[in-house]
Amino acid sequence: MFEVLMLICFGCSWPINVYKSYKSRSTAGKSLTFLMIIVAGYVFGIAGKIMSGNINYVLIFYLLNLLVVSADIVLYFRNKALENGRAATAAA
């Protein structure tokens, strides 16, 4: 039960983070290393569930959170490209 509550709390915060990334069009305050560590944690959690044979509804929360954090990584690269474009325009 506590595992589900933890995943729900994270699951509520990640979409807000993704929305802020999308709207800001900036990587300011973002760490790709941090995001990759979070992804690794979810992958290990999923692997642990599968390897232990403890496949239940909690796995859905792991997968959803992994998907949302992955979307934030995609936005990180989009925002980095936008920043590079703005810097090139300003330099020209």
Side-chain angles (χ1 to χ4, degrees):
M1 180 56 125
F2 289 114
E3 181 181 24
V4 171
L5 292 172
M6 181 262 314
L7 289 168
I8 288 172
C9 288
F10 285 154
C12 290
S13 64
W14 285 118
I16 295 166
N17 199 33
V18 168
Y19 178 75
K20 286 182 177 182
S21 291
Y22 177 75
K23 292 298 280 183
S24 73
R25 302 171 69 91
S26 170
T27 60
K30 288 284 179 178
S31 168
L32 183 57
T33 302
F34 175 76
L35 292 172
M36 296 303 288
I37 291 169
I38 297 297
V39 164
Y42 284 129
V43 169
F44 290 140
I46 291 166
K49 287 282 190 197
I50 292 170
M51 291 176 71
S52 70
N54 188 16
I55 299 173
N56 55 27
Y57 67 95
V58 176
L59 186 61
I60 293 169
F61 292 102
Y62 276 103
L63 292 169
L64 287 173
N65 286 347
L66 177 62
L67 181 66
V68 176
V69 176
S70 297
D72 204 20
I73 290 172
V74 169
L75 285 172
Y76 176 90
F77 286 110
R78 179 204 75 156
N79 291 346
K80 191 70 168 168
L82 290 172
E83 288 172 346
N84 291 341
R86 288 190 296 261
T89 301

